[in-house]
Amino acid sequence: MQFQKPTFKALVLWSAATLIILASSLWLNSKNIFDAFVRTGPHSILGQNLMAASIIWSLFGVTLLLIHTEKLNKKNILTYSGFLLVSLLYINLLRERTEYGDLEYYLDAATQLFKDRPLPAGYLYLPFWAVVLEPFVKLGKFGVTLASWVMNVASIMAFYFLLIATLKRYNFSERLAVIITVLFCVVNVPALRTLYYGQVNLHMVNFVLLALVLYPRQRFLSALALAVAVHLKVSPIIIAFVFLLERDWRWIIYFGIGLGLVGAIPVFTDGLTPYYDFLRNSQEVIGVRDINFREGSIDAVFLALYNLNFIPLIAARIATYTVKVIVMGLAFFTMYRNVRGKTFYTGAGEIALNAMPVVLLMLNLASPLVWEHHGIFLTLPFLILLKKLNTTSDWLIFALAYTAQFLMPTFDYYPWSTLLRLSAPLLILWLTYRIASDPKPAPAFEKANLWLTNLY
C-alpha cells in the first residue's frame, strides 16, 4: 500500500470523518440528547434517512479503498460503475418513501407469530419471511420497516450482480451483460413496485438466479437457494421441474433436504401451527375476488367480467381454464423445442438452462393472481431473447412486450390495464416459440458481444 498516494490521504480523511461522526453520535446518545440534534424532514422517516446516508457514505469509502488498492481497474470499472449507478439511484428513491404497502401485511404476520397467535387471515405465504422479521417486532413498526428497508436495498445490489452472472452463464460477454443490466434496472416498474411495497419479490428472484448460476458446479447450494425462494413464495417450486427434466436426481434430493432445512426454522421458532394457517389461507387465492383492474392474470380477465355482471361465474371459470390449457400447451411445446434445439445454451446443465426461460413465463401465466410487481419474475425470459432477436418484426414485438411489462406505469382501466400487462408474457412466449428452432445467436448479438469484448 502506497502511503504517499493522494487516494491514501483521501482514505485517511474519510476514516477520520467517519470516526468523528460515530464518536459524536455515541456521545450524544449517551447523554440522551441525540434527538435534539436530528430532525425528520417533510414526508420522511428519520432512521431510514440516516441509514440511506450511511450506506452512500460507506460506498464512497469502499470506492476510495478499491481505487487506492488498484482493485478497481479497466477490466471491472464498467461493472463497478454500473453497480454504483443502480445502488445510488434506488437508495435515493427508497429514501423518499414513507409507506410501504405490503410491509404492513408482513408486520401483521410477524407480530402475530411474536405473540404466539395464528397467522392473519389472508396471509398467503409460508411462514419463513414472517419468522425472519419476527425478531424485529420488539422494536415496533420502526424496527420491522428499517430491517425490511435495509434488506431491500441489499436485494437490489445483489440482483445487479446476480443478473450479470446469469447473463454471462448464457454466453453474454461481461460488458454486454453490464450494459443490459444497468439499462434494465434504471427504469423498471416491477422492481420499483416491489421495493415501494416492501415486497419479497427481489429476494425470491435473487435466490432463483443464484440457483441457476451455481448449477451444476455447486448442486447443494443451488438446491438450497431454490428452497429458500420457495419458502419466500410457494410458486417457484415449479422451477424444480427443469431439474427433473435434467434427470439430476442428486439435485432433487438436495432440494428436498433444503426444503426441510429451511422449513424447519419456523417449526423451531413457532411450531407447526403457522403451516396449518398457510394451508387455510391459501384457499383464498382461487376464490372469487373483488375487482382489481391492475391485476394481470388470465383469471383476472374473466373474473372482472363476472364481477361487472357481464357473464356468469361458470362461464368465467370455463373461459379461464380453457385459455390456460391452451397457453400451457404452447408453453410446454415451446420448452420441448428449446431443450431439443439447445436454443439458448449448450454445455453442462443445458436441459435445465434451456427450459428455464419458459418455466419462468409459466410461473406468471399459470398463476391465479398476478400483480404488477410480479413482472420481476420475467426478467430472464425477456433478457435472454436479446441474443436471439434478428428481424425487425421480432424487435418490434419485443419492444411492445417490454414496454407493457417494465416501462408502463400502473393504472386501472379495464380491460386495457389487465390485457396490456397480460400481453407481455404471452408475446414473449410467442417470440420464444418462433426462435426455438434456431440454435444460433443473432448476428447483431454476436457483433455486440465481440465489439464490447475487444473495446479496450
Side-chain angles (χ1 to χ4, degrees), residues 105 119-125 277 280-282 284-285:
Y105 190 53
L119 288 172
Y123 189 78
L124 305 177
Y125 303 101
D277 298 334
R280 180 198 66 231
N281 294 340
S282 61
E284 299 178 19
V285 179

Side-chain angles (χ1 to χ4, degrees), residues 344-362:
F344 299 113
Y345 179 80
T346 301
E350 62 189 22
I351 294 177
L353 268 70
N354 282 299
M356 183 68 81
V358 173
V359 169
L360 289 171
L361 284 171
M362 292 169 66

Side-chain angles (χ1 to χ4, degrees), residues 304-363:
L305 289 174
Y306 161 72
N307 284 321
L308 291 169
N309 298 317
F310 279 97
I311 60 175
L313 180 58
I314 185 64
R317 293 296 190 205
I318 291 173
T320 296
Y321 295 137
T322 300
V323 172
K324 280 193 174 183
V325 167
I326 294 171
V327 170
M328 290 302 106
L330 176 61
F332 275 109
F333 184 58
T334 302
M335 186 195 307
Y336 167 76
R337 296 183 70 194
N338 287 340
V339 170
R340 186 178 181 184
K342 302 178 182 180
T343 305
F344 299 113
Y345 179 80
T346 301
E350 62 189 22
I351 294 177
L353 268 70
N354 282 299
M356 183 68 81
V358 173
V359 169
L360 289 171
L361 284 171
M362 292 169 66
L363 191 68

Side-chain angles (χ1 to χ4, degrees), residues 128 204 207 223-233 255 258-259 262:
F128 176 70
M204 191 209 84
F207 281 108
L224 182 61
L226 187 60
V228 174
V230 170
H231 277 280
L232 289 170
K233 283 193 173 182
F255 180 59
L259 286 175
V262 180

Side-chain angles (χ1 to χ4, degrees), residues 168-190:
K168 287 171 64 178
R169 189 76 201 280
Y170 282 94
N171 300 318
F172 286 68
S173 69
E174 180 165 352
R175 289 170 185 165
L176 182 57
V178 168
I179 292 170
I180 290 170
T181 299
V182 170
L183 293 175
F184 182 71
C185 289
V186 164
V187 182
N188 191 308
V189 171

Side-chain angles (χ1 to χ4, degrees), residues 107 133 135-149:
L107 172 62
L133 296 178
F136 302 101
V137 170
K138 63 183 69 175
L139 301 175
K141 181 179 178 180
F142 165 78
V144 175
T145 300
L146 187 58
S148 299
W149 190 91

Side-chain angles (χ1 to χ4, degrees), residues 237-246 252 332 335 355 359:
I237 199 166
I238 192 178
I239 295 171
F241 178 69
V242 305
F243 300 101
L244 280 174
L245 288 177
E246 188 76 44
I252 295 297
F332 275 109
M335 186 195 307
V359 169

